[in-house]
Amino acid sequence: MPDKKDIIILAIESSCDDTGASIIYNGKIQSNIVASQQVHEQYGGVVPELASRAHQQHILPVVDTALKEANVHGSQLNAIAFTQGPGLLGSLMVGSSFAKSMALGLGIPIIGINHLDAHVLAHFIDADDVHFPFLCLLVSGGHTQIVKVTSPQNIEVLGKTRDDAAGEAFDKTSKMLGLPYPGGPILDKLAQEGDPHKFKFPDSRVDALDFSFSGLKTAVKYFIRDASEDNPNFVEQNLNDICASIQHTIVSYLMRKLIKAVKETGINEIAIAGGVSANSLLRSAVKAKATELGWQVHIPALEYCTDNAAMIAQAAHFQYLANNFVGQDAVPYARLGK
Ligand code: KG4
Ligand code: ZN
């Protein structure tokens, strides 16, 4: 039986195309359920309308399974958390409406979570070796940022992308190569058999700690067009090397900015987060730099890189302790000021 002082929170994630629910019990994740949506594959990207519909279908069974797996009954919950933004508005509305209705029925408070903060705070899942302040390279399908984390409530953006996100750079160049959506993980796999120095793609030149990926996208587009004019089978014949070269360009760029941030802040406790932190080259590059420069690094387990509700639950636990709740009038935001 839970003690009166126990903190049990249900967290719901529905910002894009994954419906997730997780239970956190006194700061420890008890369940982490994700239902992914295959319906988007045939369209080569997430179709917002279809995503909302699929969330509607998945949310009840996903929440039910998260509760059952954690052996928790709804009546034991102290609060319900949901991803408030950023994300696809229709998708966010499914999660937020569900969370609000359930909390209203149970007479418990609700917690609105910033999806990006949650990616960063995922490092605290099952870990007691993360210290403030740390830097986090947050690389996902929608965002690319370097943030300085001073506390769970104090996450400062030091640099961000001016156009595409790193995940988009992976996905859009993969699409040009005829790979299915989402291309990032597939390109990663194909790159493992390729030569990263075979083809050269240009670097984006933006100041400070900001990023830009649109130049790479254009360069890959014209590279494929020109090479295919001479040899229509060029992409097919060089697929592994092209993938390895694109991946090398993106990861080297991310690493250069990260090293710059370390130099500028003097902080050498480093984390990576978001879907692209699942990338094998980025993971090994960060580990190698850590050894070379004496960084203390935090690389999330693969299940906590891409969208999941456990990270929302972890962030919610911190907000609960800080008494940060939202009202029943809280609405989701497609963009959340970051
Ligand atoms: O964090 P996430 O699951 O969703 C967003 O909040 O956007 O990130 C999804 C992104 C996609 O662009 C996907 O292609 C990319 O993460 N991704 C990868 C890998 N695994 C996922 N990119 C490169 N290499 C990977 N192994
Ligand atoms: Zn995400």
Side-chain angles (χ1 to χ4, degrees):
M1 272 302 275
D3 194 271
K4 267 213 174 76
K5 286 195 282 304
D6 285 340
I7 304 169
I8 312 176
I9 304 169
L10 161 68
I12 293 169
E13 153 65 27
S14 71
S15 65
C16 191
D17 59 339
D18 291 316
T19 318
S22 172
I23 299 291
I24 188 163
Y25 198 124
N26 290 339
K28 270 201 90 59
I29 299 296
Q30 305 296 316
S31 60
N32 181 30
I33 309 298
V34 183
S36 299
Q37 304 178 0
Q38 267 72 43
V39 64
H40 308 285
E41 269 167 33
Q42 58 188 303
Y43 300 100
V46 176
V47 183
E49 196 80 0
L50 297 178
S52 319
R53 246 187 263 177
H55 281 304
Q56 289 271 20
Q57 289 164 340
H58 292 160
I59 195 152
L60 189 56
V62 165
V63 167
D64 209 35
T65 310
L67 284 164
K68 284 205 178 98
E69 211 169 87
N71 213 6
V72 163
H73 189 265
S75 61
Q76 294 174 292
L77 295 172
N78 297 86
I80 300 181
F82 62 97
T83 306
Q84 197 168 358
L88 300 171
L89 203 55
S91 293
L92 291 165
M93 283 172 75
V94 177
S96 64
S97 305
F98 188 95
K100 287 201 270 183
S101 323
M102 189 169 167
L104 198 61
L106 294 168
I108 55 176
I110 45 176
I111 304 172
I113 296 294
N114 177 317
H115 180 85
L116 302 180
D117 292 355
H119 269 300
V120 174
L121 297 172
H123 288 285
F124 288 91
I125 299 173
D126 296 333
D128 52 14
D129 61 344
V130 187
H131 311 95
F132 297 113
F134 65 92
L135 294 180
C136 184
L137 173 70
L138 172 56
V139 272
S140 72
H143 299 269
T144 295
Q145 300 180 339
I146 295 179
V147 296
K148 178 178 161 188
V149 191
T150 313
S151 75
Q153 284 78 30
N154 194 342
I155 301 178
E156 183 191 349
V157 181
L158 303 181
K160 60 176 190 286
T161 183
R162 297 194 181 165
D163 39 55
D164 290 345
E168 265 178 297
F170 274 108
D171 296 340
K172 286 180 179 170
T173 52
S174 303
K175 196 172 178 180
M176 293 175 200
L177 297 171
L179 303 175
Y181 178 87
I186 302 162
L187 189 144
D188 183 355
K189 220 173 184 169
L190 291 168
Q192 282 165 27
E193 308 290 316
D195 173 2
H197 304 290
K198 179 84 178 278
F199 304 108
K200 290 262 171 295
F201 296 109
D203 263 345
S204 302
R205 302 208 184 279
V206 282
D207 298 337
L209 296 175
D210 281 350
F211 300 87
S212 166
F213 290 99
S214 59
L216 172 67
K217 194 175 60 183
T218 312
V220 172
K221 182 176 165 192
Y222 291 122
F223 168 78
I224 294 171
R225 187 197 65 183
D226 295 347
S228 304
E229 255 171 33
D230 300 335
N231 171 10
N233 299 321
F234 177 82
V235 168
E236 204 183 315
Q237 288 164 359
N238 294 277
L239 190 57
N240 297 92
D241 293 337
I242 302 172
C243 288
S245 302
I246 291 172
Q247 177 170 272
H248 172 73
T249 308
I250 296 174
V251 171
S252 313
Y253 184 52
L254 294 172
M255 287 305 296
R256 269 206 313 283
K257 294 284 179 170
L258 187 56
I259 292 164
K260 190 172 161 64
V262 172
K263 279 195 186 134
E264 284 182 12
T265 59
I267 297 171
N268 65 0
E269 180 146 350
I270 310 299
I272 55 172
V276 179
S277 64
N279 182 265
S280 60
L281 183 63
L282 180 61
R283 293 168 86 88
S284 60
V286 169
K287 280 183 204 154
K289 272 291 157 213
T291 311
E292 185 191 326
L293 301 177
W295 295 351
Q296 187 182 342
V297 292
H298 304 287
I299 297 177
L302 286 174
E303 66 178 310
Y304 302 134
C305 290
T306 44
D307 289 347
N308 65 88
M311 66 183 194
I312 306 299
Q314 184 65 53
H317 181 75
F318 286 126
Q319 297 305 336
Y320 188 96
L321 294 176
N323 247 321
N324 278 338
F325 300 102
V326 294
Q328 275 286 337
D329 57 350
V331 286
Y333 301 99
R335 296 171 184 276
L336 204 64
K338 285 206 171 185

